[in-house]
Amino acid sequence: MTALRPGQSPPPVRMPSLRIDGAMEFPLKRRSVAETPANRRWWVGFGSMSEVSPQEPAPLSESEIVASRRAKLKRFRDELGFEPYGQREAGLLPLANARKLFSEDAHAAFDAASKEAKATGGVAADSRAVVRVAGRVVQHRDMGKLVFLFLRDATGDLQVSVSKSAVAANAFELAKLADYGDILVIEGPIGRTMKGEVCVWATTVSLGAKSLAAPPEKWHGLSDPELRYRRRYVDMYANPETAKVFAMRARIVSRIRRFMDARGFLEVETPVLQPIAGGAAARPFTTHHNALDMPLFMRIAPELYLKRCLVGGMGKVYEINRNFRNEGIDRSHNPEFTAMEVYEAFGDYGTMMELTESLLHELAVGMVDERANAGLRANAEGPVLPWGEMEINYARPFVRVKFEELFKRGTGIDMRDFGAVRAKARELGLHHEAKLDDWLVVNEVFEEAAEPLIDPCRPTFVTDYPSAISPLTRPSRRDPALCERWDIFIGGMEIGPAYTELNDPDIQLAKFTEQLKGADDEESTFRTLDEDFIESLRVGMPPAGGLGIGIDRLVMLLTDSASIRDVILFPLLKSMAPAASEGSAE
RNA sequence: GAUUGCGUAGCUCAGUCGGUAGAGCAGCGGCCUUUUAAGCCGUAGGUCCUGGGUUCAAGUCCCAGCGCAAUCACCA
């Protein structure tokens, strides 16, 4: 795909969109996940190589570490008779489950029995549970005729001891020669070592996969954030904190689905490849369908399709959707990001507020237990979750404040007194105010002087924005200068907006047309009037409430992550080298 | 887009005033049957991000570029 070049002149107003972006206004000094003291243990690296024929020599520039691992691979296969890339295994237990089968009584009984057996020359009775486990080697201590290993899987770490006297000769050699990062399959009774560590006393050892890549530093691991993102497959297991974040993310998304489903919303999937990128004011990525010889855009929002669903009769719909926006990257923006958009027929921005508050409260309550179980910081008293230096309190009700009131509180002046507002703007150093329409000055002054009043530690709905800065939202029936829109702020980030949706096709058409007039040449290359959408409104869309929530930012908050890149498995990074592009994209 | 910082062995990092490359871990060879960042003996490993420049001499100073991070701007 070819990205449009970033420009400097977006339209001064937004489309009727559920925009998820918003400025992240405050600095947060955070330790990176990798620096957490609790994580400074047992780092190992593993670079999964693409399929390489086992007989092929190493690629050109592999280090001597990789070369020695390849030599070991050959040795495992040729001398020890182990298939280095394993096979289906039955009866494997996750390491945490295996650890739970440890019995103090069985261990003590066996301990006593083996002492007696040693004295009498008999055989000790053994009632210890026998487990079969697999995991990546993250520690390896060779004591000569006894090898201690720590294996790791997604559930945790477990020690294994391989005694020369307890396993076949080739299995003992395998354990001795195992590298950090190798995946081993081990069976044996589970007991304790002399130092008290719960430990599987191996009776068999085999290989699940030989690791060929040089591991990261055993103690400090991967701490360079760039390497952690580029080689996430190493970061994910070398840094258990990383794996926990993504496991939590999965459960959060799952809970969101259950919440929405329980309220009778239907989950739908709408096009990512769109002939017209509508629903938000953002630069799209462009692409092309060859067989149809058709230019296409990656979606910037699903909004216009979800509204078509309302027209079609789906009363309550939602989509957990990946959006693609050809814009800047920072701590709260990734070019592709996940949002949830929700539409409810005969709802409005008030029903969306209730839904949002219930959902976020429920998620926060769930996360208190979740975090405690994961061994992370959590507050025992109520739905209070740490985010960096903050303690964010999700107790209901969330704070609600009208845009106009917050403006007054922040500036001491009435936002409708444009003269005073402009004076305030100049006082704040907003020297370009003269070029802006009155309401845009109001908006800038609001962001400068009023938004900082929002308590970042309390989820806050800012409601009833001026119509003029949200021109595609339905104006309030009580006061046409205002519109039925709110934005929710948490931790200084905008998490999402909601609207009472516009369903008058004539007004919508007029506003689209007006918006297009403001587009410059570059914008007009991708901004097109979606006539089919207007046609769908003419069929008749019920009045509705609409909501957008930035899932990545929400996960940041709930998992105490400082950057959106810490909650996206594979965030976009620049290519390391200008390698020849595959497939000559136009 | 601007500013600042960082970029040295596979990884984590030192490198003084500009004097010709260091440690730990990982690796390799050896010893060790209870280790917890195991230990001991020996050994190998460098495009100091890239390209210029200054200098007798550059990891170090200067310029440009690349990548990452932070802050700001943009984005609404």
Side-chain angles (χ1 to χ4, degrees), chain A residues 559-572:
Chain A
T559 60
D560 192 18
S561 298
S563 166
I564 199 167
R565 293 181 210 86
D566 293 329
V567 299
I568 291 176
L569 276 168
F570 303 102
L572 184 67

Side-chain angles (χ1 to χ4, degrees), chain A residues 215-508:
Chain A
E217 213 267 353
K218 180 168 65 174
W219 186 241
H220 301 93
L222 276 190
S223 62
D224 178 352
E226 182 178 355
L227 273 179
R228 291 180 53 218
Y229 301 142
R230 288 193 194 279
R231 309 190 69 211
R232 184 70 95 183
Y233 41 84
V234 175
D235 179 41
M236 279 169 71
Y237 83 85
N239 183 353
E241 193 91 0
T242 300
K244 282 178 188 169
V245 166
F246 289 107
M248 285 190 286
R249 178 177 179 134
R251 286 189 286 267
I252 289 166
V253 172
S254 173
R255 282 193 198 116
I256 292 172
R257 284 204 162 90
R258 287 202 296 274
F259 178 94
M260 296 304 295
D261 294 346
R263 287 190 168 219
F265 285 84
L266 208 58
E267 181 174 13
V268 298
E269 289 157 290
T270 63
V272 169
L273 294 175
Q274 302 180 349
I276 297 169
R283 276 162 211 289
F285 290 94
T286 60
T287 184
H288 183 262
H289 188 280
N290 289 341
L292 299 180
D293 188 21
M294 181 183 179
L296 286 170
F297 300 99
M298 312 278 287
R299 76 167 160 215
I300 55 177
E303 168 160 350
L304 302 187
Y305 288 94
L306 292 174
K307 285 180 170 173
R308 285 174 170 92
C309 293
L310 290 190
V311 171
M314 290 180 169
K316 300 165 89 173
V317 293
Y318 75 103
E319 179 166 10
I320 293 178
N321 54 287
R322 193 75 61 88
N323 295 323
F324 305 85
R325 295 187 179 175
N326 209 333
E327 293 171 349
I329 298 176
D330 64 29
R331 205 172 40 177
S332 59
H333 293 82
N334 193 64
E336 57 179 294
F337 65 96
T338 302
M340 176 171 74
E341 289 203 6
V342 181
Y343 293 88
E344 180 181 18
F346 294 101
D348 67 3
Y349 77 144
T351 62
M352 291 296 106
M353 184 182 286
E354 188 282 325
L355 182 140
T356 302
E357 188 181 72
S358 297
L359 173 61
L360 296 192
H361 178 264
E362 185 173 311
L363 291 174
V365 168
M367 282 309 296
V368 172
D369 292 336
E370 173 99 32
R371 290 185 57 83
N373 291 340
L376 301 172
R377 287 195 294 153
N379 193 319
E381 301 298 320
V384 178
L385 292 169
W387 194 54
E389 304 305 314
M390 302 177 188
E391 294 282 333
I392 298 181
N393 185 347
Y394 295 85
R396 298 183 73 168
F398 294 174
V399 176
R400 289 163 170 74
V401 59
K402 286 185 161 49
F403 182 97
E404 188 160 13
E405 289 172 12
L406 196 58
F407 188 96
K408 179 95 183 211
R409 219 191 298 160
T411 62
I413 54 182
D414 187 326
M415 73 176 182
R416 302 180 201 235
D417 181 352
F418 296 135
V421 171
R422 285 186 181 277
K424 184 71 181 176
R426 289 190 293 272
E427 182 190 320
L428 292 168
L430 301 171
H431 301 298
H432 55 294
E433 58 85 20
K435 290 182 292 186
L436 298 178
D437 292 340
D438 290 337
W439 283 109
L440 290 176
V441 178
V442 169
N443 191 41
E444 296 223 357
V445 171
F446 177 84
E447 288 174 5
E448 196 71 24
E451 263 184 25
L453 297 185
I454 299 171
D455 180 357
C457 296
R458 288 285 291 139
T460 301
F461 293 105
V462 177
T463 69
D464 303 292
Y465 277 65
S467 287
I469 60 172
S470 327
L472 302 178
T473 308
R474 185 164 180 153
S476 163
R477 265 145 291 192
R478 293 183 300 274
D479 182 351
L482 304 179
C483 66
E484 298 191 352
R485 161 192 166 190
W486 54 253
D487 281 21
I488 182 168
F489 294 84
I490 308 175
M493 286 191 295
E494 183 189 350
I495 300 305
Y499 305 89
T500 298
E501 299 295 345
L502 189 59
N503 64 338
D504 180 327
D506 294 336
I507 297 176
Q508 181 75 82

Side-chain angles (χ1 to χ4, degrees), chain A residues 308 310-312 503 505 532-542:
Chain A
R308 285 174 170 92
L310 290 190
V311 171
N503 64 338
D532 179 72
F533 173 66
I534 297 294
E535 184 56 32
S536 77
L537 291 189
R538 291 193 183 116
V539 170
M541 186 181 93

Side-chain angles (χ1 to χ4, degrees), chain A residues 16-52:
Chain A
S17 67
L18 302 182
R19 297 230 13 152
I20 305 308
D21 53 357
M24 184 141 172
E25 301 285 2
F26 63 100
L28 261 187
K29 297 293 182 205
R30 310 286 305 278
R31 80 282 185 272
S32 83
V33 171
E35 291 167 11
T36 306
N39 297 327
R40 291 183 173 277
R41 307 193 66 183
W42 307 330
W43 308 87
V44 178
F46 172 72
S48 99
M49 312 295 285
S50 53
E51 290 297 322
V52 175

